[in-house]
Amino acid sequence: MKVNFSWSEPTTNDTFDEYFQPDQLDREKYAQFLTSFLAQQGFDQNRDAEKQKRNYVLNLNAEWGAGKSYFLKRWALTLEEHYPVVYIDAWKQDYSDDPLMTVISSMIKQLRKQAGKDADKNVFKVSRKLVGLLKAATPALARGLTAKYLGIDPLKIMEMADDKAIG
């Protein structure tokens, strides 16, 4: 899918409730490149069946004030017309002691809004309960997977460490 990037004009938006100046550093070309690159890394039917779908993590690193937030917000605004996009600002959305819950709740809220779904529908009330259940079950699930695939039971190791039985 070809996404048209045109950041030469100023814009306002509902998503971030901000005014964006025109891009004077020609960053839209980087957004275009990264969009094409990430879309290519995702699904490709020319690959073997088990490798057609892949995940990719991208890290954007620059010094304070270099324009990372501007770039990511402007990029997100352009992409959300074509793809599901979630933008998480750890400084503004860190209202919980549990960072995982901040990420999950931000994802649910933004994707629900992009899908045009009402937050008060019963289907979403069930998903809130499911998130709580997943959060509670994660330690047991991680322990089981570690024991199965690595042959190590972390709980037993911790108990042995408490008993000072480990040399």
Side-chain angles (χ1 to χ4, degrees):
M1 173 183 308
K2 181 74 172 162
V3 179
N4 182 25
F5 288 87
S6 179
W7 296 359
S8 59
E9 297 295 322
T11 187
T12 57
N13 65 79
D14 296 333
T15 303
F16 299 111
D17 195 29
E18 290 182 32
Y19 172 79
F20 291 101
Q21 296 285 341
D23 177 22
Q24 297 177 357
L25 300 178
D26 199 24
R27 290 174 275 207
E28 67 187 43
K29 68 182 177 188
Y30 301 112
Q32 179 69 54
F33 170 78
L34 288 172
T35 301
S36 299
F37 176 76
L38 291 174
Q40 221 174 25
Q41 293 301 311
F43 181 79
D44 186 355
Q45 65 186 38
N46 294 326
R47 293 187 204 123
D48 294 337
E50 67 274 355
K51 295 182 180 181
Q52 284 184 346
K53 294 181 183 178
R54 295 192 309 196
N55 296 319
Y56 194 87
V57 176
L58 175 73
N59 177 36
L60 178 64
N61 191 14
E63 63 187 27
W64 186 85
K68 297 178 299 291
S69 294
Y70 172 90
F71 177 79
L72 290 173
K73 288 178 181 178
R74 197 83 194 242
W75 190 22
L77 286 173
T78 305
L79 289 181
E80 73 181 7
E81 298 173 14
H82 308 280
Y83 297 102
V85 175
V86 176
Y87 180 89
I88 299 171
D89 185 336
W91 299 108
K92 290 183 180 179
Q93 294 173 295
D94 189 16
Y95 46 81
S96 170
D97 291 337
D98 186 354
L100 178 62
M101 290 307 295
T102 300
V103 170
I104 290 172
S105 66
S106 295
M107 289 174 65
I108 290 171
K109 181 179 177 184
Q110 291 179 46
L111 292 173
R112 182 186 302 143
K113 181 179 177 184
Q114 290 175 36
K117 303 296 182 183
D118 183 10
D120 294 326
K121 287 186 176 181
N122 288 336
V123 68
F124 294 118
K125 292 179 182 175
V126 171
S127 68
R128 289 183 196 127
K129 293 176 184 175
L130 181 61
V131 168
L133 176 66
L134 287 174
K135 182 182 172 192
T138 299
L141 181 62
R143 178 180 171 214
L145 290 173
T146 304
K148 180 176 181 177
Y149 291 106
L150 298 178
I152 300 170
D153 187 348
L155 187 58
K156 287 184 181 177
I157 291 174
M158 290 170 45
E159 288 172 356
M160 289 171 62
D162 288 342
D163 295 339
K164 298 184 179 166
I166 296 179

